[in-house]
Amino acid sequence: MEKPLRLAIQKSGRLSEKSLQIIAKCGIKFGSNSRLLREEAENFPLEFLYLRDDDIPRYIHDKVADIGIVGRNEYDEQNLPLEVLRDLGFAKCRLSVAVPEGFNYTGLNSLEGKRIATSYPHILKSKLKEVGVNANIYEISGSVEITPSIGVADAICDLVSTGATLASNGLKEVEPIYRSTAVLIGRSDLEEEKKVILNRLLMRIDAVMKADDYKYIMFNLPKEHLGEVAQIIGGMKSPTVTPLFDDTWVAVQTVVQEKEFWDVLEQLKELGAQGILVTAIEKMAD
Ligand code: PRT
Ligand code: ZN
């Protein structure tokens, strides 16, 4: 029997739900019973290991798991010889330096000789080295944001998404030093058999992610503007054009990149497009 590929996913935390959603969108069926530490997919040679995110890179390195989903921050902090297979784009955050409200911050050199609390000593150390600042890095595993108020540190370096946690602790974010999203990581020395499974999985993940990036749009258009529309949605393959009963009009169907969507919509309206329908795309493969 085929040995399943072992995928490590965060058991419970910010990455768990989205990680499982991506796998489910790949058409892979599983129970997602979070009380289990391990389960096998029903219709794909994949085994799930549910772990703490901090343990995932090391487990992959030690061949307990083959691939896993973690924040890029965790991957870079642990600095193990693994590779990033895909950037999954979710769980966006930044690692930032933050200081108490009264701190006169003029740049990273304001941290010279100061004590900075962080759970990311490796990333912080390399940044400070890059800019030639000597500071005392105080490693701590959690509740970093309270350290200045209890006199443990002069500044902190922690993950931020909305910034609300910093503000509620009387801290101001002064310098993002690193940006992170969730990444799929793996070992580069997978057995051949597992590489084949991994490639099948990556093809599905790519199709899911590409579909998320695009919208499918349909609209009616005065035929005379077809050339201009083809230019607006340029870069893509030609749109599908269907004649209408009124032969001065046509129906157009095409895909548009999510990030360009609103611009395209405005331009289409200016060209007289009517009855514009937009739908999400579930999968998109080349
Ligand atoms: O239990 P386990 O060890 O598995 O989980 P964990 O508690 O270590 O990790 P978890 O679930 O908190 O985060 C997992 C990953 O999510 C991180 O490694 C990051 O890659 C990513 N991520 C995205 C974040 C945030 N956004 C985030 N905001 N991780 C942590 N935070 C923290 C932030 O530091 C602050 O304390 O959440 C708090 C709220 O943030 P604000 O800025 O919105 O107030
Ligand atoms: Zn963790």
Side-chain angles (χ1 to χ4, degrees):
M1 218 186 85
E2 202 173 22
K3 256 208 238 155
L5 184 73
R6 286 163 306 177
L7 165 67
I9 282 187
Q10 188 187 26
K11 182 168 164 51
S12 137
R14 284 167 210 275
L15 305 172
S16 312
E17 198 183 322
K18 285 263 173 60
S19 303
L20 291 173
Q21 254 173 27
I22 290 182
I23 302 300
K25 279 192 183 171
C26 290
I28 297 173
K29 292 204 164 63
F30 53 94
S32 71
N33 181 343
S34 59
R35 279 167 306 164
L36 291 176
L37 292 181
R38 160 186 187 160
E39 69 172 312
E40 274 194 41
E42 291 167 23
N43 57 350
F44 195 84
L46 190 69
E47 182 174 54
F48 296 81
L49 300 181
Y50 297 107
L51 304 168
R52 284 201 57 186
D53 67 343
D54 319 52
D55 296 333
I56 291 177
R58 206 185 56 240
Y59 273 5
I60 298 175
H61 180 255
D62 295 347
K63 305 192 175 181
V64 177
D66 300 310
I67 56 172
I69 298 176
V70 290
R72 191 182 279 272
N73 50 295
E74 202 59 57
Y75 161 78
D76 272 334
E77 180 60 29
Q78 299 199 17
N79 200 26
L80 290 166
L82 301 173
E83 51 177 327
V84 171
L85 302 165
R86 289 295 182 274
D87 189 328
L88 301 173
F90 67 90
K92 222 179 233 174
C93 59
R94 52 200 187 270
L95 188 61
S96 289
V97 172
V99 295
E101 285 299 342
F103 191 116
N104 178 24
Y105 184 89
T106 53
L108 285 170
N109 51 3
S110 305
L111 301 174
E112 184 70 35
K114 299 281 194 245
R115 184 185 256 205
I116 314 165
T118 188
S119 307
Y120 296 92
H122 176 75
I123 299 177
L124 176 60
K125 216 175 276 173
S126 18
K127 182 69 192 185
L128 293 179
K129 193 171 166 206
E130 184 190 311
V131 295
V133 168
N134 279 307
N136 174 2
I137 298 178
Y138 190 75
E139 185 177 351
I140 172 174
S141 64
S143 304
V144 174
E145 61 282 352
I146 64 160
T147 54
S149 66
I150 58 174
V152 169
D154 304 303
I156 69 165
C157 180
D158 200 10
L159 293 177
V160 182
S161 52
T162 63
T165 306
L166 293 182
S168 68
N169 283 282
L171 299 170
K172 55 180 180 187
E173 180 180 3
V174 287
E175 187 119 18
I177 63 160
Y178 177 92
R179 297 192 186 267
S180 177
T181 45
V183 286
L184 179 72
I185 56 171
R187 278 197 318 279
S188 43
D189 62 347
L190 278 187
E191 302 121 85
E192 271 318 304
E193 209 186 333
K194 290 198 170 178
K195 262 191 205 153
V196 173
I197 307 174
L198 175 61
N199 285 335
R200 286 176 60 201
L201 179 67
L202 290 177
M203 195 202 70
R204 295 190 187 195
I205 290 178
D206 290 344
V208 167
M209 293 210 314
K210 196 165 172 198
D212 274 352
D213 269 354
Y214 288 88
K215 295 267 178 248
Y216 194 79
I217 70 172
M218 292 158 274
F219 52 90
N220 294 336
L221 184 79
K223 201 172 175 181
E224 54 180 336
H225 291 310
L226 205 46
E228 289 147 284
V229 165
Q231 288 210 323
I232 294 170
I233 45 190
M236 302 292 308
K237 295 218 175 82
S238 308
T240 305
V241 179
T242 324
L244 291 179
F245 183 70
D246 175 347
D247 66 6
T248 62
W249 284 72
V250 285
V252 181
Q253 300 177 35
T254 191
V255 291
V256 173
Q257 241 183 327
E258 169 92 63
K259 62 175 197 280
E260 294 169 354
F261 173 73
W262 291 107
D263 282 345
V264 168
L265 196 68
E266 280 167 20
Q267 295 179 61
L268 290 178
K269 290 194 91 159
E270 277 169 25
L271 292 172
Q274 288 183 5
I276 304 174
L277 289 179
V278 182
T279 64
I281 302 172
E282 200 182 324
K283 314 266 188 318
M284 196 166 155
D286 284 326

